[in-house]
Amino acid sequence: KPNLIALSAAISACEKGGRRYTDAALDLLDAMGDIGLEPDVIVYSAAISSCEKGGPKYTQRALSLLVEMKSKRIKPNVFAYSSAISACEKVGVNPTDVTYNAITQACFNSKRYLEALELAREAKGRGVLLMKITKENGLPKWDLHELIEAMACMLISDALLSFGHLSNDGTSRNSQDIIVVTGKGLNTEGPNGPVLREKVPQFLNDIAGLETTAMEGNEGRFLITAESLDNWVASG
């Protein structure tokens, strides 16, 4: 009698085999239910990816599997989400900022920060959601005020990681203070007012140990100082 490990391996092999094996992957998934085995996140993710590779006629099944995972309280990973998004694109349904915001916020709330970061990077790469980067009085200005909390935290993290990699590539860099604009944030009004201006600095401090400085006369802005950046880069 096949067990979960064997069927999981078989479904993963079908997923790697591409569109010719989509039906086989789904048949194996159905067989698991017939013999009383519960698919886990790895099995579901492989099946959803197989649907994406199978083409437009499998898009609805991919989305159904995503819903099924949630109904069973199985948390989809970034691989499952990305595959479902790609499947939608193949039938002309483009993922929106609402889609990415909802998925990223869910990962963020569960402290699945690496998955949230990958989703934010994907949204940025597709041009769906961006952090506006400009200059003000010669200093870099990163504008987050049109973003929700999770996307704001992830996109600023991505920018800081890029800064860190550039600073460690052996080339000389002169750090500058960075102006960060939070404003009220998108849909971040709490019972006591906007929360983005508090949550982003708190996240940066908790995750990276970065110190921020409030800008006098403007509660919707703060500074990441050059000294704090240099200390963060030096800490590795």
Side-chain angles (χ1 to χ4, degrees), residues 195-213:
V195 299
L196 198 61
R197 61 185 61 160
E198 298 172 2
K199 295 290 188 179
V200 174
Q202 180 182 331
F203 177 80
L204 293 177
N205 185 259
D206 291 346
I207 298 300
L210 273 167
E211 297 292 337
T212 60
T213 304

Side-chain angles (χ1 to χ4, degrees), residues 180-183 197 214-222:
V180 180
V181 181
T182 62
R197 61 185 61 160
M215 294 186 70
E216 189 174 347
N218 193 330
E219 293 182 351
R221 294 180 169 211
F222 64 86

Side-chain angles (χ1 to χ4, degrees), residues 3-18 21-33 37-51 53 61 65 79:
N3 59 25
L4 178 61
I5 295 174
L7 286 172
S8 176
I11 291 171
S12 293
C14 289
E15 183 270 330
K16 289 179 174 63
Y21 298 96
T22 299
D23 285 326
L26 295 175
D27 287 343
L28 287 166
L29 181 65
D30 292 338
M32 291 183 71
L37 293 175
E38 283 293 332
D40 59 14
V41 64
I42 296 172
V43 171
Y44 272 118
S45 297
I48 291 170
S49 178
S50 189
C51 287
K53 291 179 178 179
R61 184 66 191 276
L65 290 174
F79 183 49

